[in-house]
Amino acid sequence: MKILIDEGKCVGAGTCVLAAADVFDQRDEDGIVVLLDADPPHTSLPQVRDAAARCPALAIEVVE
Amino acid sequence: MDHIVLVGASAAGLTAADTLRREGFTGTLTMVGDELQLPYDRPPLSKQVLAGDWEPHRSALRQDTDIQRLDMNLRLGCRATGLDTEDRVVTLADGDRLGYDGLIIATGLRPRRLPFGHDLAGVHVLRTLDETLTLRAQLLAGPRVVVIGAGFLGSEIAATARGLGLDVTLVDVEPAPMARQVGSWVGGLVGDMHRDHCVRLRMGRHVTGMTGQNGRVTAVTLDDGSRLPADVVVVAIGSVPATDWLAGSGLPLGDGVLCDRTCRAAPGVYAAGDVANWPHPVAGRRVRLEQRTNATQQAITAAGNLLSGPAEAVPYAPVPFGWTDQYDAKIQTCGWCPSDATVEVVDGDPQARKFVALYKVDDRVVGALGWNSARALREYRSHLTGNGAAR
Ligand SMILES: Cc1cc2nc3c(=O)[nH]c(=O)nc-3n(C[C@H](O)[C@H](O)[C@H](O)COP(=O)(O)OP(=O)(O)OC[C@H]3O[C@@H](n4cnc5c(N)ncnc54)[C@H](O)[C@@H]3O)c2cc1C
Ligand code: SF4
């Protein structure tokens, strides 16, 4: 699995962190998403998919 | 279930389509939307798109190929005009009748208008991409802008217009911008920020009329008799649920489509997004949210409940989350931030324009607001349950 993020679209909602805290975090200054693990283990796929689906800015793309 | 119809081709409608396919629905999916564009996102309209920082197509909610992959009958540029819940038929403006087994209503809102002025050129509302591009063209041509209504949307438009270097006046009946949404204390800080950016604020004032010349607006008049010269006027006084097409359908309507706690309005009929009104199981009252994250979350729940059937349906009990971007401020709210709450700063410093505040009613935390504090706010958010009360 590979995760792509579009920082320019991210609105800092943090929904992704609530869905998959091992994979996403937010920058302190502006809340923009930080990818902690761009190639996480397959076991986290459901959470990562859920994060991508719930991101209100559609800033997360999951390539399986 | 063979045929599911989605009415409203925007954030909630598209998320519902995504969810249905992801959860394995292989039947026919028809999406009806009265706008011509493929589904696009609204939050960037008053910000990046109006400012000209984004090309309009950047606000698209999906790549064309991802839309194709959903394998839908797309009926764009086509209004739904009626619903018969007995025979399970949606009527379209072109006369077509769509039978359905399942229906998700996601028709959102329409901007409220003033009883005067809208026949004048230069007077605008902002909800759609077309309206944004028209307004942008007008802003680039006219230096004096009056924004009527200082809620989230009006305040954002004022900030964006200032960013374009225009002369901006912001008018509202409330004592401060966004006072109804975040209370007068934070509203006061929002007002200070606009003043710092040289926006003229006329708070606590009613607009009584507009004057025009040769069919074009020239000024806005206020209840104190003052006259604000204007080349462009934006009316941002709130929106009403787009439920006109449901009159006579038998669906319970009020402030939106009145659903049960699982987002169901009638057998086989669910609603999601800005148009949906439902009893929030934890808050203990009916609510309707006009927030982007809600459109996604509620559509996921409504679509899941439609597929699973009433016996397996889960109640929808989100912690509300919203945001606004103005100048360099990113203001985010979670839970409820009622104007009668006590506001307590718990992190950061309001003077430094970076803080988190908690909203308390009867000593219970019901919501939190972060000003340039996304990460810190998230920590508090995870301590809120659906009614905003601390866990
Ligand atoms: C300019 C702007 C800025 C915003 N900024 C923010 C923000 O910063 N943060 C935030 O949290 N929220 C923001 N919002 C709110 C957010 O965009 C909405 O909550 C979200 O768009 C709701 O999605 P929806 O799908 O429920 O409804 P909508 O986006 O309103 O979509 C409904 C769709 O249904 C169509 N429709 C209506 N009636 C019919 C019919 N009879 N037949 C067919 N189609 C129909 C409409 O044309 C529309 O395309 C903003 C809204 C606007 C307008
Ligand atoms: S959910 Fe989306 S918008 Fe929110 S922080 Fe994560 S990537 Fe950014």
Side-chain angles (χ1 to χ4, degrees), chain B residues 5 19 54 59 72 76 142 146 181 184 190 230 238 251 265 271 279-280 353 356 361 380:
Chain B
V5 173
T19 308
W54 282 17
S59 63
M72 297 187 284
L76 298 179
V146 174
Q181 289 91 359
S184 52
V190 175
L251 283 192
H280 193 295
R353 302 265 161 97
V356 176
V361 174
Y380 289 95

Side-chain angles (χ1 to χ4, degrees), chain B residues 293-310:
Chain B
T293 48
N294 180 64
T296 299
Q297 311 268 26
Q298 193 165 23
I300 291 174
T301 301
N305 284 347
L306 170 62
L307 285 184
S308 71

Side-chain angles (χ1 to χ4, degrees), chain B residues 89-112:
Chain B
V89 173
V90 174
T91 317
L92 305 184
D94 62 9
D96 258 14
R97 294 163 55 81
L98 299 173
Y100 65 83
D101 303 305
L103 171 68
I104 295 180
I105 297 171
T107 45
L109 309 174
R110 298 203 186 285
R112 189 176 289 140

